[in-house]
């Protein structure tokens, strides 16, 4: 597409009038509007991904595939980043935790990437599908048991279900004992929330876990990584575990929350399977929205725009999936043609398990709480105001409270998924009302989230 040169031809908000800011409340309220402002500029445009941090953002589907599938020209090692090496990136920039270098498969290239990725993919391939479904159901049942007896019949599904569920499953997959699992969850949750010291908490917990598995290996993901033929060092194992946690928990939580909201929303067609809600989420609300920083190995043109070598190029999975040129014939594409899991050599190695976990989480919720419904219209829900993810801030639901807590570890009832319940108008804000009051709930055991979950599975 030819770039406009006459200022009168350039829509307000386009980079010719100053970079579009892809962060803050305005972006969070209308990310699609921001992508629309960028499209007239071509398949990519310079944007501010954080204060004083400029990147080239790819918004077209075809250009995104070109970048993702061309590792000879676009590499992932952020130590090449011009502005960072020249001291032009603020030391406290929120872009650094997302773009800064770590020795993991995600930010490696060539032979180093192939070695680390092979260890990760081979280890993930040993996870039994049926076991993963059971683990997801058990974690879901535990979390539902904690809020389903609330006498108000209300819960905040993001904080009480969607966000902690993947953390429980991953702590189980990693083979964490209770106390270490508590600290792993506290550390990774704190990192997402920006709590000081969370990196040290997470690193310390995973270091202890790796040392434990060196002494007493067991049948878990951590041990498989350590025993892989790639012979990863303990530090390399730690960084791959952190990558699995960060890439597999927050995006999955976003997918579970958005898919639940879509299924319960007023516009959802009754009778459609949960798989359709998850697929629509991945197409229209990509959990990882703008990410995958690449660094050109030489000056390169993207749709007629020149990008200097080692200047960061980010892929907008959200904008690429909703590219108007793509949507014209999207019905002819495979349901899996979206870029929510990336593409090329750095594509998500666990996309099928992630999809299955999201479907299982939503199905379990619907099966356990037959009359669950949104307490606000879908269009009134609030989204996180950051560029990296597309995630709901809150998801207020209503349901008929249980009078007797569900038995520990019991599976969701068999049978078809229930249809969507009629929507109820909000009676109060999501954070309104007294603290949670459970009817007949047993006293909570001591310890963190993972300790309490394990105690519940043992019927303690």
């Amino acid at each position: 597409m030819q770039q406009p040169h006459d200022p009168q031809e350039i829509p307000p908000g386009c980079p010719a009038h100053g970079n579009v800011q892809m962060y803050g409340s305005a972006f969070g309220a209308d990310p699609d509007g921001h992508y629309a402002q960028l499209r007239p500029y071509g398949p990519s445009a310079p944007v501010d991904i954080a204060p004083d941090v400029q990147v080239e953002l790819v918004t077209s589907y075809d250009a995104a595939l070109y970048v993702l599938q061309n590792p000879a020209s676009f590499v992932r090692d952020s130590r090449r980043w011009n502005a960072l090496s020249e001291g032009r990136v603020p030391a406290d920039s929120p872009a650094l935790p997302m773009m800064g270098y770590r020795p993991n498969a995600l930010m490696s290239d060539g032979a180093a990437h192939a070695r680390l990725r092979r260890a990760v993919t081979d280890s993930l391939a040993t996870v039994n599908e049926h076991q993963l479904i059971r683990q997801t159901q058990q974690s879901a049942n535990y979390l539902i048991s904690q809020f389903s007896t609330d006498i108000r019949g209300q819960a905040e599904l993001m904080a009480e279900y969607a966000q902690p569920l993947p953390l429980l499953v991953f702590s189980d997959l990693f083979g964490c004992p209770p106390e270490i699992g508590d600290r792993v969850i506290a550390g990774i949750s704190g990192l997402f929330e920006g709590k000081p010291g969370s990196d040290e908490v997470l690193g310390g917990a995973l270091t202890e876990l790796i040392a434990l598995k060196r002494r007493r290996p067991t049948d878990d993901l951590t041990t498989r990584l350590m025993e892989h033929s790639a012979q990863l060092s303990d530090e390399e194992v730690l960084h791959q575990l952190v990558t699995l946690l960060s890439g597999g928990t927050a995006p999955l939580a976003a997918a579970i929350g958005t898919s639940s909201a879509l299924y319960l929303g007023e516009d959802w067609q009754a009778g459609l399977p949960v798989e359709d809600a998850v697929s629509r989420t991945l197409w229209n609300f990509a959990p990882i929205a703008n990410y995958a920083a690449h660094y050109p190995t030489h000056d390169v043109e993207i749709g007629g725009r020149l990008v200097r070598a080692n200047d960061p190029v980010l892929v907008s999975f959200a904008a690429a999936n909703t590219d108007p040129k793509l949507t014209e014939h999207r019905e002819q594409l495979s349901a899996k043609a979206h870029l929510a899991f990336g593409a090329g050599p750095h594509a998500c190695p666990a996309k099928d398990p992630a999809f299955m976990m999201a479907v299982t989480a939503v199905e379990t919720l619907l099966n356990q709480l037959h009359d669950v419904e949104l307490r606000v219209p879908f269009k009134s829900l609030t989204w996180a105001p950051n560029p990296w993810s597309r995630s709901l801030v809150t998801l207020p639901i209503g349901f008929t409270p249980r009078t007797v807590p569900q038995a520990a570890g019991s599976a969701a009832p068999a049978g078809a998924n229930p249809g969507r319940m009629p929507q109820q108008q909000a009676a109060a804000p999501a954070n309104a009302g007294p603290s949670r009051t459970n009817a007949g709930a047993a006293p909570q055991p001591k310890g963190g989230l993972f300790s309490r979950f394990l105690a519940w599975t043992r019927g303690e």
Side-chain angles (χ1 to χ4, degrees):
M1 177 178 179
Q2 185 177 2
Q3 300 176 40
H5 298 287
D6 185 345
Q8 299 301 318
E9 299 176 6
I10 302 173
C14 276
H17 293 309
N19 288 351
V20 172
Q21 294 183 353
M22 307 296 288
Y23 57 89
S25 57
F27 172 77
D30 185 22
D32 290 332
H34 285 65
Y35 303 140
Q37 290 179 359
L38 297 174
R39 295 195 195 280
Y41 211 72
S44 71
V47 304
D48 289 340
I49 203 72
D52 300 318
V53 179
Q54 177 177 299
V55 303
E56 189 77 11
L57 186 69
V58 175
T59 58
S60 94
Y61 186 89
D62 290 342
L65 281 178
Y66 170 69
V67 172
L68 294 168
Q69 296 178 340
N70 192 353
S73 296
F74 297 93
V75 297
R76 299 297 301 273
D77 189 337
S78 63
R79 289 174 295 186
R80 305 171 67 103
W81 185 1
N82 285 327
L84 183 62
S85 61
E86 295 165 6
R88 293 187 282 114
V89 177
D92 59 350
S93 172
L96 283 177
M98 305 303 295
M99 296 173 60
Y101 176 77
R102 290 184 176 85
N104 57 35
L106 193 63
M107 294 184 175
S108 300
D109 303 289
H113 168 257
R115 171 175 168 268
L116 295 174
R117 184 177 174 88
R118 186 173 68 253
V120 172
T121 54
D122 289 351
S123 299
L124 286 170
T126 64
V127 176
N128 181 274
E129 176 180 324
H130 298 293
Q131 177 191 2
L132 184 60
I133 291 176
R134 287 194 299 271
Q135 287 174 310
T136 304
Q137 286 180 332
Q138 191 174 53
S139 300
N141 289 332
Y142 166 71
L143 294 168
I144 293 169
S145 77
Q146 300 306 291
F147 64 74
S148 60
T149 54
D150 185 303
I151 60 175
R152 299 172 300 158
Q154 298 179 4
E156 201 295 281
L157 206 64
M158 290 304 297
E160 299 184 68
Y161 187 71
Q163 291 167 352
L165 196 158
L167 295 172
L168 289 175
V169 175
F170 271 80
S171 296
D172 207 5
L173 287 173
F174 284 5
C176 292
E179 192 272 337
I180 291 180
D182 288 342
R183 286 190 287 136
V184 167
I185 290 176
I188 192 67
S189 300
L191 281 178
F192 290 136
E193 296 166 8
K195 291 183 179 179
S198 297
D199 202 10
E200 290 76 9
V201 171
L202 179 61
L206 291 177
T207 298
E208 287 187 32
L209 177 64
I210 293 168
L212 174 65
K213 300 303 176 181
R214 288 286 182 205
R215 299 192 304 270
R216 295 195 299 274
T218 52
D219 184 19
D220 54 63
L221 199 55
T222 305
T223 300
R224 291 172 204 141
L225 269 174
M226 297 170 66
E227 294 180 346
H228 192 270
S229 59
Q231 298 183 326
L232 273 60
S233 67
D234 286 359
E235 182 182 7
E236 288 175 326
V237 172
L238 185 150
H239 283 290
Q240 308 327 302
L241 291 177
V242 171
T243 303
L244 286 169
L245 276 172
S246 57
T249 56
L252 185 54
I256 293 170
T258 304
S259 301
S260 299
L262 279 174
Y263 196 91
L264 298 173
E266 66 273 22
D267 294 333
W268 189 253
Q269 182 179 340
L272 290 178
V274 168
E275 285 87 347
D276 284 9
V278 177
S279 291
R280 187 176 298 182
T281 292
L282 298 175
W283 273 107
N284 296 342
F285 305 91
I288 301 177
N290 303 287
Y291 192 55
H294 289 72
Y295 301 87
T297 56
H298 52 85
D299 291 358
V300 62
E301 283 193 1
I302 302 177
R305 280 188 50 78
L306 180 66
V307 181
R308 287 197 313 149
N310 299 325
D311 278 353
V313 176
L314 264 63
V315 176
S316 178
F317 301 108
N321 280 349
T322 57
D323 186 341
K325 293 181 180 179
L326 182 70
T327 54
E328 292 174 3
H329 58 277
R330 203 166 85 179
E331 66 276 1
Q332 301 171 7
L333 297 174
S334 163
K336 297 182 179 180
H338 59 76
L339 298 181
F341 293 123
H346 286 87
C348 174
K351 57 185 178 181
D352 290 335
F355 186 89
M356 181 175 59
M357 287 175 65
V359 170
T360 301
V362 180
E363 287 182 339
T364 304
L365 176 73
L366 298 171
N367 286 330
Q368 294 288 4
L369 302 176
H370 299 294
D371 62 350
V372 62
E373 56 190 13
L374 293 181
R375 289 170 46 220
V376 298
F378 179 84
K379 293 179 180 178
S380 298
L381 294 170
T382 302
W383 300 87
N386 73 74
W388 315 106
S389 65
R390 181 68 161 153
S391 179
L392 290 167
V393 176
T394 60
L395 181 53
I397 60 168
F399 51 87
T400 300
R402 291 174 175 165
T403 56
V404 179
Q406 185 184 1
S410 60
N417 298 326
R420 180 179 61 83
M421 296 292 117
Q423 185 161 17
Q424 172 183 331
Q425 293 299 319
N431 59 356
S435 58
R436 183 168 302 289
T437 303
N438 290 341
Q444 284 289 321
K446 295 181 179 180
L449 175 62
F450 195 57
S451 290
R452 298 194 301 271
F453 165 66
L454 292 178
W456 180 84
T457 62
R458 296 190 296 264
E460 297 176 2

